[in-house]
């Protein structure tokens, strides 16, 4: 049996663990299995809903914990039990959606196993999101801010599906208005996300490390986008995959190969074993 070096490796999912075909390569699967069988702890931390990520980590044969909703939810993989969760208040969700509505943006609100959207049925962006995540949206008519208020919904997060050339404009708009109150970040070329302040991927990594009594000095985090920045900074070794955005590569301790080239397998080999 090989000797473990870093005891905990936490990986983002989309654009990091899976390739551009939404698949996990055999090379990556084997690397994870070898690492775990030798005593390492491998965990996934994603912006996806818990409903979306649980089947994928179970498919990998993982046990232990998984973090969803940018880290604001941590759950047990086998039972699905939520161990920690934080949500935006009803008023917070209303404020975020109402502000974006002033500029003509539709929004998506997430609560537990439900995704609400006021994008029109058949919209290519929400259709793509449904296909990738395996989650069906609940379509509503009219204002999302009014819907949240009328139905007393406190959200895990609010997102905005936009064309990639609009993302930076909306991100700056929301960041300027809300950064002091909420975490405003980007998880994909077409996605701007707003979630509870401080309950990010960095806090999730720390929670998982505490759960398994692993010192932060023995942790590795790997990701591809700005929403991965908190865990890249929190871990002893922060890794950006080769296809990561420049803003993540610039602060990472190491830049690996791309997700399509089995980045997670390379990272496990380099940092997971002595």
């Amino acid at each position: 049996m090989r000797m473990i070096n870093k005891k905990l490796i936490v990986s983002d999912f989309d654009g990091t663990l899976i390739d551009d075909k939404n698949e996990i390569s055999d090379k990556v699967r084997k690397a994870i299995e070898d690492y775990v069988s030798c005593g390492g702890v491998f965990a996934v931390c994603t912006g996806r809903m818990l409903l979306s990520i649980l089947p994928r980590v179970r498919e990998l044969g993982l046990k232990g914990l998984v973090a969803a909703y940018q880290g604001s939810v941590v759950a047990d993989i086998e039972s699905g039990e939520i161990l920690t969760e934080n949500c935006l208040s009803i008023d917070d969700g209303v404020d975020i959606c109402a502000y974006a509505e002033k500029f003509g943006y539709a929004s998506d609100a997430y609560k537990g196993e439900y995704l609400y959207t006021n994008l029109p049925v058949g919209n290519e962006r929400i259709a793509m999101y449904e296909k990738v995540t395996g989650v069906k949206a609940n379509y509503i008519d009219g204002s999302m801010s009014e819907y949240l208020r009328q139905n007393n919904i406190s959200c895990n997060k609010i997102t905005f599906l936009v064309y990639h050339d609009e993302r930076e404009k909306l991100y700056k708009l929301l960041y300027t208005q809300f950064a002091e109150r909420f975490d405003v970040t980007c998880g994909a070329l077409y996605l701007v996300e707003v979630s509870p302040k401080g309950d990010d991927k960095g806090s999730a990594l720390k929670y998982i490390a505490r759960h398994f009594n692993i010192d932060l000095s023995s942790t590795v985090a790997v990701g591809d986008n700005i929403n991965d920045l908190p865990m890249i900074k929190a871990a002893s070794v922060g890794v950006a995959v080769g296809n990561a955005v420049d803003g993540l590569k610039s602060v990472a301790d190491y830049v690996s190969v791309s997700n399509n080239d089995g980045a997670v397998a390379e990272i496990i080999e380099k940092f997971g074993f002595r």
Side-chain angles (χ1 to χ4, degrees):
M1 181 178 291
R2 302 177 67 186
M3 296 294 293
I4 291 295
N5 180 23
K6 298 296 186 181
K7 297 178 181 178
L8 171 64
I9 298 177
V10 179
S11 176
D12 172 49
F13 194 71
D14 294 283
T16 303
L17 183 59
I18 60 172
D19 60 25
D20 292 347
K21 295 179 181 179
N22 201 26
E23 297 174 351
I24 303 169
S25 71
D26 290 340
K27 178 169 68 173
V28 170
R29 288 176 185 273
K30 187 175 187 310
I32 294 171
E33 289 172 4
D34 290 347
Y35 178 67
V36 171
S37 68
C38 290
V41 177
F42 186 89
V44 170
C45 185
T46 178
R48 287 196 186 199
M49 303 168 67
L50 186 60
L51 176 67
S52 175
I53 195 59
L54 270 179
R56 301 303 304 268
V57 293
R58 287 170 176 167
E59 166 198 331
L60 268 173
L62 289 177
K63 301 185 189 311
L65 305 184
V66 63
Y69 284 126
Q70 305 293 18
S72 64
V73 169
V74 179
D76 178 82
I77 292 173
E78 293 179 275
S79 68
E81 178 188 359
I82 293 175
L83 304 181
T84 181
E85 179 179 21
N86 193 18
C87 295
L88 299 165
S89 71
I90 296 170
D91 288 342
D92 288 344
V94 169
D95 286 351
I96 294 162
C97 293
Y99 184 73
E101 287 164 3
K102 292 180 182 179
F103 301 92
Y105 288 101
S107 54
D108 309 297
Y110 298 74
K111 175 60 176 177
E113 297 185 349
Y114 295 94
L115 162 59
Y116 304 94
T117 185
N118 60 356
L119 286 167
V121 175
N123 177 276
E124 62 181 3
R125 286 166 288 170
I126 192 67
M128 175 185 66
Y129 187 85
E130 288 178 320
K131 181 179 179 180
V132 169
T133 63
V135 173
K136 293 297 182 183
N138 295 277
Y139 291 85
I140 68 165
D141 293 323
S143 163
M144 181 65 76
S145 59
E146 287 301 314
Y147 186 84
L148 296 180
R149 174 71 74 194
Q150 291 171 6
N151 292 278
N152 295 317
I153 297 173
S154 58
C155 302
N156 293 100
K157 68 174 182 177
I158 304 289
T159 70
F160 303 88
L161 287 164
V162 295
Y163 293 110
H164 70 270
D165 57 352
E166 297 178 334
R167 189 187 78 162
E168 193 63 20
K169 174 185 175 183
L170 178 58
Y171 170 72
K172 289 180 179 177
L173 193 70
L174 294 173
Y175 188 89
T176 300
Q177 180 70 15
F178 293 121
E180 291 187 2
R181 293 171 60 190
F182 314 118
D183 284 333
V184 181
T185 190
C186 298
L189 286 175
Y190 54 87
L191 195 60
V192 181
E193 312 188 47
V194 186
S195 54
K197 187 76 172 179
D199 284 283
D200 53 30
K201 291 191 175 188
S203 64
L205 181 144
K206 292 175 182 177
Y207 183 97
I208 294 169
R210 288 196 302 270
H211 180 86
F212 290 104
N213 295 313
I214 296 172
D215 193 270
L216 287 177
S217 64
S218 192
T219 62
V220 178
V222 52
D224 75 308
N225 223 308
I226 295 302
N227 64 331
D228 299 311
L229 191 58
M231 71 175 182
I232 293 296
K233 290 183 174 180
S236 173
V237 178
V239 182
V241 292
N243 53 291
V245 296
D246 290 340
L248 195 69
K249 288 180 178 178
S250 65
V251 299
D253 300 300
Y254 178 73
V255 177
S256 181
V257 297
S258 78
N259 63 321
N260 290 324
D261 294 320
V264 169
E266 194 245 358
I267 291 158
I268 289 173
E269 185 62 32
K270 184 173 181 63
F271 299 106
F273 296 105
R274 296 187 186 278

